[in-house]
Amino acid sequence: MASVGPSAASTQPILPSGPAVFKTIPYAFILPEIVCGTWVWILVAATSVSLPLLQGWVMYVSLTSCLISLLLLLSYLLGFHRNSENWKVLDSLYHGTTAILYMSAAVLQANATINSEFGPNAPLNYQLNSAASFFAFLTTFLYILHAFSIYYQ
């Protein structure tokens, strides 16, 4: 007698491959995360880094996250996931962890922005640091959205 339950193929997660990555909601956040994270790194590098300990962490988090997200995007585009449930868990853990790290980097960048208000070349550094803080918080929000949307999918 045939079973009435769902088939094994229907219980597999449907993970996008190729250009469909840009059309699916949790995975469509990867490209904006990369772009905003790159802006954070560029803007912090353009300032005269007056607080190397704070802004060094911001640059480390933004550059590392950008590179890992780029590798993750390439793996989705090339279909390395082979529709495995493990990729969904990996994606959720990575974006959740990165959201926490980016939140710490965004707060440190905001502190560096406040401290750069006074000092040599203050107006330009303050504007660059303000833009870097904005993009750091925006990137944090994108990583949080991605982590929660993949979790609730």
Side-chain angles (χ1 to χ4, degrees), residues 15-43:
L15 298 175
S17 292
V21 170
F22 301 115
K23 298 176 186 173
T24 310
I25 274 300
Y27 309 103
F29 291 129
I30 295 177
L31 193 59
E33 291 165 2
I34 293 170
V35 170
C36 291
T38 303
W39 273 111
V40 171
W41 182 72
I42 290 170
L43 289 167

Side-chain angles (χ1 to χ4, degrees), residues 117-133:
E117 191 172 3
F118 308 106
N121 208 4
L124 178 64
N125 282 333
Y126 182 74
Q127 291 171 354
L128 290 172
N129 282 323
S130 296
S133 295

Side-chain angles (χ1 to χ4, degrees), residues 46-98:
T47 66
S48 61
V49 180
S50 57
L51 300 165
L53 189 59
L54 300 180
Q55 291 180 308
W57 175 251
V58 174
M59 290 179 71
Y60 171 75
V61 169
S62 63
L63 185 61
T64 305
S65 301
C66 180
L67 291 175
I68 294 173
S69 293
L70 184 63
L71 289 174
L72 193 61
L73 177 65
L74 288 174
S75 66
Y76 278 121
L77 286 174
L78 298 175
F80 288 147
H81 55 77
R82 298 180 201 242
N83 214 16
S84 171
E85 181 71 25
N86 294 336
W87 278 87
K88 206 171 164 184
V89 172
L90 172 79
D91 194 4
S92 180
L93 286 174
Y94 165 69
H95 281 89
T97 304
T98 306

